[in-house]
Amino acid sequence: MENRGYERLFGSERLTVGAAFPLSGAREERPDVARELALAERVEELGYDALWARDVPTYWPKFRDAGQTFDPWTWLSRVAGRTEAVALGTASVVLPLRHPLHVAKSAASLDHLSGGRLVLGVASGDRPPEYGAFGVEEDTRGAAFRDAVRVLRAAWTESYPELETRWGRLDGTVDVVPKPTAGDLPLLVTGNSRQSREWIAEHADGWLFYHLPGDTLRDYLDDWGARTDAPFVTTCSVALADDPDAGPERVNQGFRAGANWFRGYLDDLESWGVEHLIVSVRGEDRGAAFAEFASSVLDE
């Protein structure tokens, strides 16, 4: 696929690394816009390959996580204007809660506004109260997800498509414009999204999975590699220890460890078949933390 963002992430044999919003670490409140944008510019300067925004339509206090709070289309459009080459990703758009024609229009628009840098992570969602709020039956989300993907592909790759799904009927009299810059947009299915691995391997341009223990991750990668050549993406929360030789301690969705251990861990991920890693870097001074991780781990 000639999408610039996809090529930035998967166009070489090396492991690429991106950063997840909110870069400043805010989880339950709106992050400071100026600080986030300054950090986005700094992360690109440091050589990170992607910036990832989440889609959290409503705030559920039980999760204690509001994403970056801003709508991903609006937010990434702002980020696109402050960056030049870094890939822009969604991790991930909750398809059962959004009409796919709106998603198709918004995604293709952002793709153009960013110069073809958008990579679209998509998911079925995981916050039960949201389904009722949007009038969606939770137990239908798997089928709704599959139908949404069908609509997206038709809207992006066909002129005046004809298609009928639970989302409505396209009868060939209307079109969705603009079309993506590369003729289609890369879809990374997130988690299982209520689908079989066979379906994901057949319909996705990559698989984005949450942080997993090493043995489990290797099993997933072996299975995925036997099904498809499409890339595999995973995540990790990073807390750099002061001692570069410090061994790993578990933190939520990742590790606290020294730079030497993290270099070995990234080497392992690459050798196992991971092609892109999304990191959330911890630290009181996030700019300094991203810089330290880049210089002591990524540059090595």
Side-chain angles (χ1 to χ4, degrees), residues 46-48 263 266 291-300:
L46 290 167
Y48 290 81
R263 285 199 297 271
L266 265 62
E292 176 64 19
F293 188 71
S295 64
S296 64
V297 178
L298 302 185
D299 290 350
E300 297 293 331

Side-chain angles (χ1 to χ4, degrees), residues 154-208:
W156 289 332
T157 64
E158 301 176 24
S159 296
Y160 299 94
E162 297 185 37
L163 182 68
E164 187 164 358
T165 70
R166 71 183 57 235
W167 295 101
R169 182 168 62 91
L170 291 166
D171 63 1
T173 61
V174 297
D175 201 5
V176 177
V177 292
K179 302 298 183 186
T181 56
D184 199 356
L185 275 170
L187 290 177
L188 306 184
V189 171
T190 304
N192 290 312
S193 292
R194 301 286 164 170
Q195 310 306 318
S196 68
R197 292 187 185 182
E198 291 81 3
W199 188 94
I200 297 171
E202 181 179 354
H203 292 89
D205 300 299
W207 196 12
L208 194 167

Side-chain angles (χ1 to χ4, degrees), residues 91-201:
S92 294
V93 173
V94 185
L95 290 185
L97 304 184
R98 292 178 177 267
H99 197 289
L101 291 180
H102 288 143
V103 174
K105 178 85 170 183
S106 296
S109 299
L110 177 55
D111 176 59
H112 277 267
L113 294 173
S114 66
R117 292 188 278 147
L118 179 65
V119 177
L120 200 64
V122 290
S124 60
D126 57 7
R127 305 187 183 208
E130 287 190 327
Y131 300 101
F134 284 88
V136 174
E137 293 292 334
E138 186 175 355
D139 60 2
T140 67
R141 57 183 158 155
F145 181 92
R146 291 192 298 275
D147 278 353
V149 169
R150 291 179 61 203
V151 175
L152 291 175
R153 293 297 195 196
W156 289 332
T157 64
E158 301 176 24
S159 296
Y160 299 94
E162 297 185 37
L163 182 68
E164 187 164 358
T165 70
R166 71 183 57 235
W167 295 101
R169 182 168 62 91
L170 291 166
D171 63 1
T173 61
V174 297
D175 201 5
V176 177
V177 292
K179 302 298 183 186
T181 56
D184 199 356
L185 275 170
L187 290 177
L188 306 184
V189 171
T190 304
N192 290 312
S193 292
R194 301 286 164 170
Q195 310 306 318
S196 68
R197 292 187 185 182
E198 291 81 3
W199 188 94
I200 297 171

Side-chain angles (χ1 to χ4, degrees), residues 32-48:
D32 180 84
V33 172
R35 186 182 183 200
E36 286 289 315
L37 292 173
L39 283 170
E41 291 178 325
R42 180 64 175 143
V43 164
E44 181 175 44
E45 291 170 359
L46 290 167
Y48 290 81

Side-chain angles (χ1 to χ4, degrees), residues 41-87:
E41 291 178 325
R42 180 64 175 143
V43 164
E44 181 175 44
E45 291 170 359
L46 290 167
Y48 290 81
D49 296 289
L51 290 163
W52 294 88
R54 298 172 60 197
D55 180 25
V56 182
T58 63
Y59 176 56
W60 187 25
K62 182 177 180 179
F63 258 47
R64 302 184 64 185
D65 186 350
Q68 71 281 343
T69 74
F70 298 108
D71 176 83
W73 310 120
T74 308
W75 179 244
L76 287 177
S77 293
R78 185 78 180 272
V79 174
R82 296 284 291 267
T83 56
E84 296 180 358
V86 68

